[in-house]
Amino acid sequence: MTWVGHYNYWGAIFLMMSGFYVVISRGNLIKKLIGLNIFSTSVFLLYISMGKIKGATAPILTEAARLSPTPQLYSNPLPHVLILTAIVVGVATTAVGLALTVRINERYGTIEEDEIRAKDDSL
Amino acid sequence: METTIDIVLLTFLCITAMAIIHIRKLFCAIMLLGIFSLLSACLFVTMDAVDVAFTEAAVGTGISTILLLGAMGQTNAHEKRPPYQPILALLVVLVTGSILIYGTMDLPAFGTPDAAIHLHVAPRYIQQSPIEVGPPNMVTSVLASYRGYDTLGETAVIFTAGIALVALLSAPYKKNELAVKNEQGSLSTIQPATLHDHLILRIIGKMFIPFILLFALYVQFHGDYGPGGGFQAGVIFASGIILYSLIFGLDTAMRVISPTALRLLGAAGLILYIGVGILCILNGGNFLDYNTLASRPVDGQHLGIFLIELGVGTTVFAIMVTMFYAFSFRGRHST
């Protein structure tokens, strides 16, 4: 029964697939971006889950931990660094996507994918 | 106990995601996404990633929601029902999901201390960073010192995204012949009510904004010792300014800090970061090798980390507010 310990990964995969489903099944461009956001958050969850150690604490050295005779266990700080920057970069790229959506709306008067395609074909 | 909290939060996240898929009103979906971010921030705290939780809470529930709402206000608040049933999409998702779950079978169980990820560079970071670099917060040491190149790259990406957004949204507005008004009447035709008329919001906002800005500065300068740093501080400072602009109007906010000043600040932060790197070369070290900045290596590290965190904070703050300005300015002129 070793696979029972994977629940966190499964949760992340479920969320990943929910985001993926929104991206490929919905025509609304803003909804697609929301789906992409869910997808990216699930990837963050997967990374942070991998860095976690049971019984460990946040990777910040405290005076108490330095003085205590037993070594303190810390979770892996590396995934935290990668994901921290990825979150801010994620919002910046989402904003570019939203700007594109706004410009598409100004051109076509709609942000529904099939209507945009119909207008392109009618030209 | 920790496992129970973890599973409960994960379940809530899954329910929220299902609700986002189901709901057709974009406003509700965006609000649910804010809740989704807050829940995931809680989950990050239970998994010891306090810095990440901090960032997610500030970005996901603050800036990202505001930007999505800004874009929604200029387009359409309701998602149309597609004319077909997306069965193929469901099938693709199910197959991909099962393959991924099959892939996790080989992974070490959640939380095992001897997984491969914990045996490579992590012991070095955990044991040596307080001696080699100095800050008690190992995330700050890794972010600013060991992986300084990465962070420089990320800052540059944020700056580039800001430029791209300004380039996209500052183009002259011309309504195309093709654009037909939506039959339901999009939100953009309704003049947004200014929050200035709401007495409680105005008074409470006025009281809160100085503390938000002060807190951002605390997060910026205390990032070495606790959770925080340039990324979080920049986002929190930006949300203070955005709150100000929501309550007192865009024009007042632009008089407080003008778009030109913000663009200069955004560039200045990145230049400060690169400048520190070049200074290290001039002092005889490698690019971003802070040891050369002072006579004692640890002092040099401290100075270097302080400066580049300042650069990151400035750039992130300036770009986030620039993005908000660009969206709201466009929204006003397109109506």
Side-chain angles (χ1 to χ4, degrees), chain A residues 8 31 75 103 106-107, chain B residues 6 23 48 168 176 330:
Chain A
N8 246 51
K31 193 68 177 267
S75 284
R103 290 301 304 272
E106 284 170 9
R107 270 282 164 204
Chain B
D6 191 287
I23 216 147
D48 302 335
L168 276 169
N176 197 285
R330 190 86 184 170

Side-chain angles (χ1 to χ4, degrees), chain B residues 260-273:
Chain B
T260 322
L262 282 173
R263 281 172 211 178
L264 286 176
L265 271 178
L270 196 58
I271 289 173
L272 176 64
Y273 200 141

Side-chain angles (χ1 to χ4, degrees), chain A residues 63-119:
Chain A
E63 206 57 36
R66 199 179 352 210
L67 296 176
S68 84
T70 51
Q72 174 68 51
L73 206 55
Y74 295 106
S75 284
N76 195 338
L78 184 57
H80 300 183
V81 174
L82 302 179
I83 297 312
L84 190 160
T85 49
I87 290 175
V88 185
V89 169
V91 73
T93 44
T94 305
V96 176
L98 288 171
L100 285 171
T101 311
V102 166
R103 290 301 304 272
I104 287 172
N105 184 59
E106 284 170 9
R107 270 282 164 204
Y108 290 88
T110 176
I111 50 167
E112 299 289 335
E113 212 177 35
D114 39 355
E115 291 175 13
I116 293 170
R117 201 168 298 148
K119 279 189 180 156

Side-chain angles (χ1 to χ4, degrees), chain B residues 21-41:
Chain B
I21 293 179
H22 184 70
I23 216 147
R24 297 270 164 191
K25 273 202 171 67
L26 285 178
F27 180 76
C28 300
I30 292 168
M31 286 300 149
L32 281 170
L33 192 68
I35 294 173
F36 185 85
S37 290
L38 202 58
L39 283 170
S40 61

Side-chain angles (χ1 to χ4, degrees), chain A residues 3-114:
Chain A
W3 49 268
V4 179
H6 290 104
Y7 53 86
N8 246 51
Y9 306 143
W10 294 345
I13 288 169
F14 181 83
L15 294 174
M16 207 180 279
M17 288 304 113
S18 319
F20 186 37
Y21 179 74
V22 174
V23 173
I24 59 177
S25 73
R26 296 288 187 261
N28 187 298
L29 295 178
I30 290 187
K31 193 68 177 267
K32 272 182 196 283
L33 282 170
I34 293 176
L36 266 183
N37 253 317
I38 297 178
F39 193 102
S40 63
T41 308
S42 76
V43 175
F44 302 159
L45 268 180
L46 190 69
Y47 266 70
I48 300 296
S49 305
M50 298 212 175
K52 165 77 180 160
I53 298 176
K54 279 248 164 73
T57 181
I60 297 173
L61 195 70
T62 57
E63 206 57 36
R66 199 179 352 210
L67 296 176
S68 84
T70 51
Q72 174 68 51
L73 206 55
Y74 295 106
S75 284
N76 195 338
L78 184 57
H80 300 183
V81 174
L82 302 179
I83 297 312
L84 190 160
T85 49
I87 290 175
V88 185
V89 169
V91 73
T93 44
T94 305
V96 176
L98 288 171
L100 285 171
T101 311
V102 166
R103 290 301 304 272
I104 287 172
N105 184 59
E106 284 170 9
R107 270 282 164 204
Y108 290 88
T110 176
I111 50 167
E112 299 289 335
E113 212 177 35
D114 39 355

